[in-house]
Amino acid sequence: MYRKTLTAILAAGLALSSGIPAEAGNHASNEQSDHALDNKVIKKIDSENMYQHIEVLSQQPREAGTDGEWQGVQYIKEQFESFGYKTEIQPFEFNKGFKRGTPSIILNGNDFAGDVHTFTGSINAEVEAPLVYVGLASEGEVGDEVAGKIALIERGEISFYDKIQNVLDKGAAGVIMFNREGTTGNQFGGIYEGQDIPAVAVTREAGLELVDRLATEEVIATVSVEGASYIKGTSHNVIAKKKPHPNKDNGQIVMVGAHHDSVSVGPGANDDASGVAAVLELARVMANTPTDTELRFATYGAEEKGLVGSYDYAYSLSDEEVQNIVGHFQLDMVGSRDAGELIMFTPNGEKNLVTDYGAAAGARVSETVPYGQLGRSDHVPFYERGIPAALFIHAPLEPWYHGPEDTIDKISKEKLQDVGEIVGAAVYQIARPDTPALEHANVAPGTVEYDFDDRPL
Ligand code: BES
Ligand code: ZN
């Protein structure tokens, strides 16, 4: 219901900016008011603060489940609390590693001579069935004859997920995959949650031998995986909330998020200490700014392990909360001096409330921000729950991405300042007391035209 109201507001704003006659004088004064109100927030945003947060956070890697991540989590909580926020650290489990157990293959009663490798995520099971070769297991190659059989698949061209799903859709009971052209080993392969068949990998050589053998005889195979399991780790989300002014509460919630974990090999100054720093600075600035909207500032753990923290948080929300969250602004990699310009990515490549407000705020602060299509960060789980969400990032990416050289010396204070101001202005436009009850307000959100950008990463 709230979301509908906002859509109506944006439509009204668009009508104003696209030359549809408005009441005399309205447009100009709206713009002026917007700028004046933006200034209440953006004049306070200080990239020096963000830079200092990055300095602290990027002293070591913050891989999920490690002490480095935990120290980051504590720092973030202390910062939120120093601004006066009620702050929660929420633990959750993630898959830290995989114990491969004992995989085996039997062919027509004889143990397979070569080395067998368990696919990451394979279930434990033993299946015996005729072996059938399905090439690369693209959709067109997999026929009904696979039902109840063990699929022999060549690696390459399409994802493991798609190959397994294609044979599963036809009722396969198990998978043996052999390596792609030009390879010698067999240490590869992953199967996903819900793909509940045993899956193992063999060398290309062994696989091609099997293909030949199938041309001359029937092969009954037993594929077995025993004692495999995920090794669990614990990571944490940090959530800081600011309730709206009690007399003005419109029931809406706006979220600003980043991920605080990094990859293991680098200190993640830009990925994503920069986003955390921006979240902290926006929280600081908003702490004493009256709003009619609840603000939630979140930093997620285990993003690099598959968006685990944000999935945990997004799916812990009640349906009512989901209804009330009008937008999620995700800040990931927002400070690299060596990356390109700011862009807003949505998982489906469509505009939404967040991109509308982000583009308009960009136009007021510096430049209109284009939008594009990409998942790969914590906006995805919110999008999947039906919440308007977008990833704010600079693209093309810097060469230091996910490497040991993602360090503070590559951070640009100008980039941090620009993103902080744009997202601050956008969030404040939603949260300030005179919006979105536009019908009764003297300020219209200025909207702008902004374009899809198919920019390379
Ligand atoms: N900051 C990146 C997201 C990203 C990477 C955006 C490249 C745009 C271009 C993020 O931390 C990341 O690395 N995500 C993972 C995805 C995840 C599901 C493990 C990735 O993209 O590999
Ligand atoms: Zn990231």
Side-chain angles (χ1 to χ4, degrees):
M1 177 191 146
Y2 289 121
R3 199 160 297 145
K4 248 187 220 142
T5 319
L6 275 170
T7 312
I9 293 153
L10 280 165
L14 274 173
L16 286 175
S17 59
S18 58
I20 295 167
E23 273 177 53
N26 227 3
H27 199 184
S29 69
N30 285 339
E31 280 198 350
Q32 215 172 15
S33 303
D34 268 1
H35 282 290
L37 283 158
D38 280 340
N39 282 341
K40 270 180 100 168
V41 166
I42 68 177
K43 289 274 182 245
K44 296 184 192 151
I45 290 170
D46 187 348
S47 58
E48 292 297 333
N49 294 329
M50 295 188 247
Y51 196 80
Q52 275 173 30
H53 294 313
I54 298 172
E55 208 152 35
V56 175
L57 289 166
S58 67
Q59 264 155 27
Q60 57 185 342
R62 300 174 306 282
E63 189 185 17
T66 64
D67 187 55
E69 188 196 39
W70 178 242
Q71 283 183 25
V73 163
Q74 284 173 302
Y75 174 77
I76 294 161
K77 178 172 190 262
E78 279 159 22
Q79 291 297 311
F80 279 137
E81 286 178 343
S82 77
F83 309 143
Y85 287 85
K86 199 173 161 286
T87 307
E88 257 188 71
I89 293 181
Q90 301 177 344
F92 60 87
E93 281 194 339
F94 70 99
N95 294 331
K96 189 162 100 178
F98 188 71
K99 211 172 96 207
R100 298 191 183 277
T102 313
S104 69
I105 300 173
I106 299 169
L107 303 167
N108 287 342
N110 300 316
D111 280 346
F112 168 74
D115 185 37
V116 187
H117 174 84
T118 314
F119 264 41
T120 301
S122 173
I123 61 160
N124 291 307
E126 180 177 305
V127 294
E128 184 182 349
L131 188 65
V132 52
Y133 179 49
V134 295
L136 291 160
S138 61
E139 223 180 313
E141 286 169 288
V142 184
D144 292 332
E145 74 282 358
V146 175
K149 303 209 176 116
I150 292 169
L152 177 65
I153 306 174
E154 178 180 359
R155 180 186 185 188
E157 285 190 28
I158 60 170
S159 67
F160 293 129
Y161 177 86
D162 286 342
K163 288 172 189 277
I164 305 270
Q165 202 53 46
N166 289 341
V167 297
L168 254 179
D169 287 346
K170 296 289 185 186
V175 164
I176 300 174
M177 199 179 295
F178 61 91
N179 216 341
R180 53 157 58 109
E181 216 174 325
T183 59
T184 49
N186 70 337
Q187 313 274 304
F188 66 90
I191 197 160
Y192 289 78
E193 226 183 294
Q195 295 184 323
D196 292 337
I197 49 174
V200 297
V202 298
T203 62
R204 179 164 188 87
E205 197 191 0
L208 291 177
E209 252 178 57
L210 273 174
V211 174
D212 284 350
R213 189 166 160 186
L214 280 173
T216 56
E217 64 168 329
E218 191 186 40
V219 177
I220 307 294
T222 304
V223 170
S224 161
V225 175
E226 227 181 282
S229 64
Y230 277 108
I231 303 160
K232 297 284 178 189
T234 303
S235 177
H236 302 85
N237 293 329
V238 188
I239 313 290
K241 287 185 191 172
K242 177 181 182 275
K243 290 285 175 198
H245 190 285
N247 299 337
K248 297 198 166 152
D249 186 356
N250 66 13
Q252 295 177 351
I253 305 166
V254 175
M255 293 200 66
V256 187
H259 70 92
H260 54 240
D261 68 313
S262 71
V263 292
S264 63
V265 297
N270 196 42
D271 187 10
D272 183 27
S274 66
V276 173
V279 169
L280 288 174
E281 180 61 357
L282 290 175
R284 184 189 69 81
V285 166
M286 296 305 291
N288 300 311
T289 308
T291 63
D292 61 5
T293 302
E294 180 182 322
L295 301 181
R296 282 190 201 175
F297 297 97
T299 73
Y300 305 108
E303 187 269 356
E304 303 286 6
K305 306 292 180 191
L307 320 177
V308 187
S310 50
Y311 267 110
D312 186 84
Y313 184 74
Y315 281 85
S316 75
L317 296 167
S318 68
D319 289 344
E320 197 190 341
E321 278 176 300
V322 168
Q323 276 303 309
N324 293 341
I325 299 175
V326 296
H328 184 281
F329 291 75
Q330 173 72 11
L331 309 180
D332 193 353
M333 305 174 79
V334 292
S336 177
R337 102 192 154 189
D338 303 308
E341 301 290 308
L342 189 62
I343 184 165
M344 304 175 291
F345 285 121
T346 60
N348 62 354
E350 281 171 26
K351 296 177 176 180
N352 62 32
L353 182 136
V354 172
T355 61
D356 283 349
Y357 276 92
R364 300 196 299 278
V365 167
S366 52
E367 248 175 283
T368 307
V369 190
Y371 71 105
Q373 180 168 20
L374 192 75
R376 296 180 70 171
S377 191
D378 296 317
H379 56 313
V380 171
F382 295 91
Y383 161 78
E384 287 180 6
R385 286 223 67 182
I387 295 167
L391 162 65
F392 290 72
I393 192 169
H394 295 116
L397 303 186
E398 64 275 19
W400 328 117
Y401 167 62
H402 279 187
E405 297 198 81
D406 181 5
T407 44
I408 182 103
D409 52 305
K410 322 289 193 317
I411 294 294
S412 148
K413 289 180 187 166
E414 289 72 29
K415 285 245 177 66
L416 293 173
Q417 186 70 33
D418 184 57
V419 175
E421 290 186 9
I422 290 171
V423 177
V427 168
Y428 188 51
Q429 181 137 28
I430 300 172
R432 70 195 195 207
D434 57 349
T435 60
L438 184 70
E439 298 88 346
H440 308 295
N442 55 10
V443 184
T447 52
V448 291
E449 278 184 28
Y450 61 111
D451 296 323
F452 186 86
D453 187 344
D454 194 10
R455 198 184 299 174
L457 290 175

